[in-house]
Amino acid sequence: MDVFGGFFVVGGGFVSENVVFSRRIMSIDTNTQSPFSLIADFEGDVNQLFRPKIGPTLPILPVRGLVLYPSVLAPINVTRESSLKLLEQARATEGYFGVVAQLDNEKDALAENNLHNVGVVAKVMRTFEMGPLGSATILQGLRRFELGAFTKRNPFLRAKVKLLEEIVPDATDKEWQALVDACRDNTAKLIEASEMIPSGAAYALRGISNPVALINFICTNLPFPIQEKVKLLSEGNLMARATGLLAILNRELQYAQLKEQIQNKTREDLDKQHKEYFLRQQIQNIQSELGNEKEGHDAAELREKAKDLPLPEKVRETFDKELAKLERMNAQYPDYTTQLTYLETIVSLPWGKHTEDTHDISAASSILDRDHYGMERVKERILEYLAALAYSKEVKSPIVCLVGPPGVGKTSLGKSIAESLGRKYVRVSLGGVHDEAEIRGHRRTYVGAMPGRIIQNVVKAGTENPVFVLDEIDKLSQGGSWNGDPQAALLEVLDPEQNNAFHDNFLDIDYDLSKVLFIATANTLSTIPSALLDRMEIINVEGYLTEEKCEIARQHLLPKHLAQYKDEVARRVSLPKATIEYVVEKYTRESGVRGLEKQIEKILRKAAYSIASNDDKLPKRGGLRPSHIEKLLGKPPYNRDKYQGNDFAGVVTGLAWTSVGGEILFIETGLTRSKQPKLTLTGNLGDVMKESAVIALEYVKAHAASLKVNPEVFDNWAVHIHVPEGATPKDGPSAGITIATSIASAVTQRKVKERTAMTGEITLRGKVLPVGGIKEKILAAKRAGIVNLVLSRENRKDIEEIQPRYLEGLSFHFVDTVEEVFRLVLLKEKVAHPLSFEVEKSDSNDER
C-alpha cells in the first residue's frame, strides 16, 4: 500500500484477527490530520532506518492473515481485548511493539507455539473511524527481529527480541536492478490478471522508488500463502528475498493466466453455442416464410425409413408424434440423443420380417444328430414342433427350458435348433443380471436410457421369429433390491398369453414376441421361481455316459482339433475306443465333455511336442495305448471305485448320483458294546441321509424277530454307520435300503449276495420308494463290475427307457418292501466268528 494524491490505497484490505478483502480505494481527507512521512522516500542505509533504544523485551501484537515487512504501512482491525490494550498504550506513549503472524488462526494466539519466530518492530501511525466497519489502525513496519522467550502474558504479551540486520545490495549492482525491475513488472501483470487484487494497487506500485521498500511492499500485500511470506521475511539478504519473491510471482502469474485462458475458452464455447442456436432459429424462420422448409437430416432419414414399414396404427401415431418433437428440438439439448435413439429403435425393429421355417424333418434331424450325440428327448421335442408347423395353420412357439449339468451342450444346442429350423440365432447371457431394466429397458426420463436386452437382440436378429437363447437363467439375480426383480420381469417375456404385447419401458409401445422361439438353459431349477417355471416346458438334459463321451470324442472332439494340426500329427495320433474310455475314466470326472475336450487338446499338444523333439512317447505305428497316455498326461488323477467283495458282514454296495455322473458307494455298519443305545453317523452326511439312517435303524429294531435277532441286543450294542470318502459331502434319500441292509447284515452277521448293489428310499413302514438318476447309476454299476441291481418297482419305467445296449450283463430285481430286499440279498452264510446275540432257537426253514 502507499499514500498518493490524497488517497490511501489498501492492497490487502483490513487484516488482523479476521482478514477482510476490500477491493476498493478508500478516500481519506488528509487535511484533517497532520501528514506523516513515507519510508519509501528514505534513500539511506536501511539498517539505519530504526535504531531505537529499546529494552531486551518488547510488547507482542499477534495478528492473523498478515505478515508485516520493514518500511511498509498496513491497516489492521483489532477486536481482541489484549491487542486493544497494547495499541492504546502504544498510541499514548508513541512506543514500539512487535507484530508477529500466528501459525494457526483457529487457535489461541497466547500459546507460545502458535507464533512464527520472526516478526517486525512497528509503531502506530494513524487511527481512522470507518463507521459500521469500526476503526482501522495504520501500522508502520520498521525493523525485523527474532522472537525469543515470553516474559509476560498480561495485560498483553511481552517477549525477548533480537534485532536482525538487512544485507542490501549496492544500488549500482546491475543484477539487483534487473531483479527489482522484474519483480515490479511481474507484479503489475499479476494485478492486471487477478480479480482478487484491486486495480488501484498498480498506481501505488509505480509510486515507490526505493527498491527495498518495493520488495517489502510486494511481499506484504500480494495474496500468497502466509508460510511463504514468513519464509521471505526470515531471509536477511535482500537479493535472496527478491529472488524468492520473483519465483512466487512467476508461479502466481502462470496460475492467473491459465485461469484466464480457461474462462475465455468457456466463454467462447458458450458464445458459439448461442450463436449457432440463433442462426439455426433464423434459418428455420426464413425457410418457413419461403414455404420450402427442409427437415433436419436425422428427421428426414427416419421419416424415409418408416415410410414403408408395416407399423401398427397406434405405433404409427406414436412415431409421428415423437418425430415431430424431434424436429422442434435443438440438437444441442441433452434429450435430443435419447429422442433420436428412441425413434431409431422403432424403425430398426423387424416389423413384418420373418424367416420361412424349414419343414424337412429328415434334414432337421440330420443337423441335430450331426452336432450333438444323444439328447433324444430334446431332439424329439424340436422335430415335433417342426411337424406341427408343417400341418397346422398357427402354432404357438414353445418356451423350452433345458436343465442339466455344465458342459453337456445346452447352449450350443440352440445354434443347432436355429439351423434346423432355418431361423436366425441370438443369445443373451443372464448370469449376474441384477437390474430389471436389463430386461424391460429404462424409461426415457433417465440420461443414457436404452431398450432392454430382449428388444436389443430382436433388433440384432432382424426377424420376428428368431431362436432366442436365454442362457444361465438360473444365475439371474433374485428380487429384493432397489433395482427391481429381473426374474419377475421375465414372466411377461416367457408367457405365450402375454408376450404378444410385450411392453418395453424405453419403447413405451407393445411389441409382439409370440413368434420368437425362446430356449432357456439352466444347471438347476432350485433358484428359479415357481411362477417362472410354470411358464416353461422343462426338458432334462442328462449328463453323458462313458459310452456317449467316447462317441462324442471320436465323432466330434478329436476331428475338430486334429483339423488344426498338420497331417503328420494326425497320422501319428489316433485314439482307439479303449484309449478314449481310459482318458474318460482316469482323467475326467464330469457330466459334460469340457474336461474331456481339454484333455484331448493336451494330448495333441504333447504329441506335437514329442514329434518336434523326436522322443519315444509316441508309438511308431498303431494307435495310442493307455501307457502312451500316461507318458503324455502323467499319472491318472482319478480312479473309479471297484467292487470290494462280500467278505464282511455289514458292508453293502449302494448307488449314488453326483453332478459328474453315477458312482458306487459303500455303507459300513459296525457294532460295539455299550451301556446305552447309541447311533453314530460319520462320512460327511447331509440331513436327509442322516434321517434315512435313523429310519433304517428303527425299521430293523421293529423287525428284529423276523431277522432272528434278540431285540435286547440294541440295548447293549451301539451302532456305527460310516460312508467312506468322508471329505466328500453326501446327501439324499436314495441310500435308504442300502443302510437298512447294512444294519441287518451287521446284526445278523449274514453276508450280502455277491456283486449286488441297490438304491431306493424307504419309509418307516418298510415301503421302498423310487429315486432318480437311474441311467447314471446303472453305468456306474457296470463300471464297478456289479451284475445284480435292486430297485424300487416304480423305477421299472426308467429302465425301459434306457437303450438295451446299456443294460447288457445286468440283472434287475424290483421290490416293494425292505423285507423283500432282505430276502433277496441276505445269505444264510455268516462270517467266521458271529456275534452271540441272535435268538438261541430259530426256525431254520426261515433262513436262507
Side-chain angles (χ1 to χ4, degrees), residues 454-509:
I454 303 298
I455 294 297
Q456 289 181 28
N457 282 275
V458 170
V459 172
K460 179 181 177 181
T463 62
E464 289 184 327
N465 60 340
V467 174
F468 200 126
V469 175
L470 299 171
D471 208 10
E472 307 292 353
I473 195 173
D474 58 323
K475 309 300 190 302
L476 199 64
S477 297
Q478 300 181 11
S481 69
W482 61 272
N483 291 322
D485 187 355
Q487 288 184 336
L490 280 178
L491 295 177
E492 181 184 8
V493 177
L494 301 181
D495 191 344
E497 301 298 329
Q498 299 182 41
N499 62 10
N500 60 345
F502 173 68
H503 190 87
D504 186 274
N505 291 329
F506 181 79
L507 288 180
D508 203 22
I509 56 176

Side-chain angles (χ1 to χ4, degrees), residues 770-829:
V771 293
I774 297 299
K775 184 179 178 182
E776 289 81 0
K777 292 177 180 178
I778 288 175
L779 267 293
K782 289 190 68 175
R783 288 194 302 266
I786 302 295
V787 296
N788 297 299
L789 294 178
V790 180
L791 306 171
S792 171
R793 195 173 303 278
E794 296 184 32
N795 281 124
R796 183 188 293 272
K797 63 181 184 300
D798 300 305
I799 301 298
E800 295 173 350
E801 293 181 358
I802 299 175
Q803 296 183 16
R805 61 192 179 94
Y806 297 132
L807 308 179
E808 295 176 358
L810 298 177
S811 297
F812 295 93
H813 304 277
F814 300 102
V815 298
D816 291 319
T817 63
V818 178
E819 190 174 355
E820 294 181 57
V821 178
F822 292 165
R823 287 200 299 267
L824 279 170
V825 302
L826 290 180
L827 304 176
K828 64 180 179 180
E829 180 185 358

Side-chain angles (χ1 to χ4, degrees), residues 663-682:
E663 296 284 350
I664 67 171
L665 56 83
F666 301 98
I667 307 294
E668 300 176 352
T669 300
L671 301 173
T672 56
R673 292 188 179 275
S674 176
K675 295 182 179 179
Q676 57 183 358
K678 183 179 180 182
L679 173 63
T680 303
L681 302 172
T682 56

Side-chain angles (χ1 to χ4, degrees), residues 637-649:
Y638 304 114
N639 186 22
R640 296 290 182 179
D641 292 328
K642 299 297 181 182
Y643 178 68
Q644 299 180 359
N646 65 337
D647 296 333
F648 301 94

Side-chain angles (χ1 to χ4, degrees), residues 112-186:
E112 294 184 12
N113 58 353
N114 196 30
L115 293 177
H116 288 280
N117 60 353
V118 178
V120 173
V121 178
K123 65 181 296 186
V124 175
M125 300 300 294
R126 290 285 187 273
T127 301
F128 301 98
E129 294 298 330
M130 305 300 296
L133 296 178
S135 61
T137 300
I138 306 299
L139 305 181
Q140 183 176 31
L142 301 175
R143 185 75 174 274
R144 294 184 311 120
F145 68 86
E146 182 180 354
L147 183 66
F150 289 88
T151 60
K152 190 177 180 182
R153 295 181 179 275
N154 290 314
F156 42 77
L157 290 177
R158 180 177 287 274
K160 296 179 179 179
V161 297
K162 176 184 178 183
L163 296 179
L164 300 175
E165 299 289 333
E166 303 276 347
I167 302 175
V168 183
D170 188 82
T172 61
D173 189 341
K174 299 297 183 181
E175 181 180 357
W176 167 246
Q177 294 176 359
L179 191 60
V180 172
D181 291 339
C183 290
R184 187 193 304 271
D185 294 340
N186 282 6

Side-chain angles (χ1 to χ4, degrees), residues 518-578:
F518 287 103
I519 299 177
T521 68
N523 297 129
T524 178
L525 300 179
S526 59
T527 58
I528 303 177
S530 57
L532 193 56
L533 282 176
D534 186 57
R535 286 163 166 78
M536 298 186 293
E537 180 180 349
I538 307 300
I539 298 180
N540 290 307
V541 182
E542 299 172 343
Y544 295 116
L545 307 176
T546 299
E547 288 78 0
E548 293 173 333
K549 291 180 181 180
C550 293
E551 289 299 320
I552 292 172
R554 185 180 62 84
Q555 298 179 20
H556 300 282
L557 302 181
L558 188 59
K560 170 186 173 183
H561 292 285
L562 276 177
Q564 302 174 7
Y565 290 86
K566 294 182 179 180
D567 294 338
E568 186 176 0
V569 175
R571 180 175 55 82
R572 295 284 302 275
V573 178
S574 63
L575 298 178
K577 183 178 180 182

